[in-house]
Amino acid sequence: MIPSRRRNALPFVVLALLAGLGPMVVVLWLSYSRALERSRESLQTVVDSAFHRAERILQTAEVLLTRLATQTQGKMTAETQGLLRQAVYNQPFFREAGLIDEDSMLVCTSLGPVEPPVRVDSASKSDPDRRAMQVVGVLKTEVMKERSIIVSLPTIGKGEVNLLIDPAVLIDPFVDTDLGPNGSVVFTSGGGQVLAANTTMAGDEAEDPARSRDVRVERRSDRFHLTVTGRISRPWALRYWLGDLALPVSVGLLCSAAMVTAVFRLSRRKQTMDAELRIALANDEFEVHYQPTVETTTGRCVGAEALIRWHHPEQGYIRPDIFIAVAEESGLIEPMTEALMRKVVIDIGVLLVAKPDMHVGINLAPDQFTTTRILEAVKEIFRPDGVPPSRVIFEATERSMIEDEAGLPHQVMDGLRALGGALALDDFGTGYSSLAYLHKFRFDYLKIDASFVKRIGTGSVNAGVIDSIIELGHRLEVKLIAEGVETEAQRAYLAERGVHYCQGWLFAKALTPREFHRFVEARAGIEPAKAAATEARSA
């Protein structure tokens, strides 16, 4: 017993550990993600500000260059220097304006005529085929001996007008922004050239694989072919995370404690329920109630389904869905079923012997089809000189019929039938394999699930399914039992379509043995409408 108990407790120990660690892991992950998200939002604000500033500067440049191109017509005249000087005079963004003639010669700047004119190589010029302002890149010009961002607008031939922008104009507002030791805001052209940055790193360093885990935010301008990229290191993004963990960790610990407590209570409850069931079996605390089965057309009672009930001496009646599941898991379902069968013989054995057409339905759990123990129990309890097995319908669900390597479900069913018992497929139509099982196994009864009966007369899309089930039953030449019949209209509908038997509250709830005896006698030979009225008066 002790090894078995340890083995059964192991899943609960594992579950308790998972329950304890789970909330903490979730809390840590959520707080970690939120810390990164807050840092990303802050960086996004910086990048958005830098992006909008760059767009405003380039929009201003575009207006000025368009005006200069119109005024100069791409040619050097007496007014050219004045026009260039006037264009940048009141604009703090621009260092210099220049005019390149159609022969690619720089002939004039806002500082004055260039004597002699200087040939400008293609690397310092815009693409003449694109008649729009372009960000050429960052170069050190012959006239202005500092690195400048060149923006230009093609005019005639190979000519253009251009403006020189100090890179610091883009980055200065963000110099004091604290982005950490490796943080950066970088402006790049469409070709990937770094135009300005608040860091001395080169473009290749910015893409260092070692920094792949950095938090990165990017904004692109399709109009000006400009990209602004903000980046901070992950340690910097998480700098406040550990300090902010006090509240989340407290919540996580409380949740973990609650989960562990719940798991241990569940474990204790299961172990307690297991022990209680053993005591209940030893103390004969189980009762059997009987759900009557009536003939659909006459209302005559022809049997019942035996339902086990546990009357706990302290807690009263305990719901079957609670203790039956524990019984199946703990292996107590077999002795519990055997106890039920013995009580059936005691409770209604006289009726079953006296009325040859009377039967009792007994539900078998899935595990009982994987062992021949049930066959030995039926031989012992239902005997020819007492209540014969022929008075018993053994009810199986689809779960009971999953074939194992030894084919035991087939052997058990064949054995029950050889003893004289009948077989019923319970809750037919609710599973995914009902039709397949009808081909694989032979049944004497089909029990139509209450969910289909409930739809009779509702006009729902699935209301016609029950007709298909009834027709199938007739073709298979099996007896049909409809469960959950609650109204006279449902009974009449089923009777008209040849359903042989019914169960449900229209006739009676599950009854004690004494109540069932009275019900059988009261129902002998009564017509259905009269029987329903009689039952209504007694209720």
Side-chain angles (χ1 to χ4, degrees), residues 85 103 106 115 131 140 162 316 352 463 470:
R85 183 181 295 115
D103 296 319
L106 176 64
E115 296 293 347
R131 314 305 290 183
K140 183 183 289 186
N162 60 34
L352 294 173
I470 294 170

Side-chain angles (χ1 to χ4, degrees), residues 18-207:
L18 293 176
L21 293 174
M24 283 302 302
V25 170
V26 170
V27 166
L28 289 174
W29 180 81
L30 288 176
S31 62
Y32 176 85
S33 300
R34 182 57 189 146
L36 284 180
E37 187 59 29
R38 283 201 303 267
S39 296
R40 188 184 302 277
E41 290 170 357
S42 298
L43 182 60
Q44 183 72 60
T45 300
V46 174
V47 169
D48 288 345
S49 178
F51 178 81
H52 293 314
R53 178 176 175 79
E55 277 212 323
R56 286 197 302 272
I57 293 172
L58 292 176
Q59 287 168 357
T60 302
E62 187 176 46
V63 171
L64 291 177
L65 289 175
T66 301
R67 185 185 304 160
L68 287 173
T70 302
Q71 291 172 338
T72 64
Q73 294 297 311
K75 297 179 180 180
M76 177 65 178
T77 65
E79 294 82 14
T80 299
Q81 180 182 353
L83 293 172
L84 295 176
R85 183 181 295 115
Q86 183 181 4
V88 299
Y89 182 75
N90 291 321
Q91 295 294 339
F93 304 139
F94 310 118
R95 283 175 166 170
E96 186 181 359
L99 174 66
I100 299 174
D101 66 14
E102 57 186 334
D103 296 319
S104 293
M105 304 297 289
L106 176 64
V107 295
C108 186
T109 73
S110 53
L111 301 178
V114 179
E115 296 293 347
V118 177
R119 178 168 296 281
V120 181
D121 61 36
S122 58
S124 304
K125 293 176 76 272
S126 60
D127 181 357
D129 295 330
R130 288 178 53 204
R131 314 305 290 183
M133 188 190 81
Q134 301 164 44
V135 179
V136 176
V138 179
L139 296 169
K140 183 183 289 186
T141 63
E142 291 294 329
V143 178
M144 182 67 70
K145 303 297 184 180
E146 294 184 57
R147 292 178 64 81
S148 300
I149 301 171
I150 301 176
V151 292
S152 62
L153 178 67
T155 54
I156 58 174
K158 296 182 179 180
E160 64 180 40
V161 286
N162 60 34
L163 291 168
L164 305 186
I165 302 174
D166 183 357
V169 171
L170 295 177
I171 209 67
D172 277 352
F174 310 101
V175 169
D176 295 331
T177 302
D178 191 0
L179 299 177
N182 296 313
S184 62
V185 176
V186 181
F187 298 79
T188 54
S189 66
Q193 183 184 18
V194 176
L195 304 176
N198 68 337
T199 177
T200 57
M201 67 180 179
D204 291 341
E205 293 173 337
E207 300 302 326

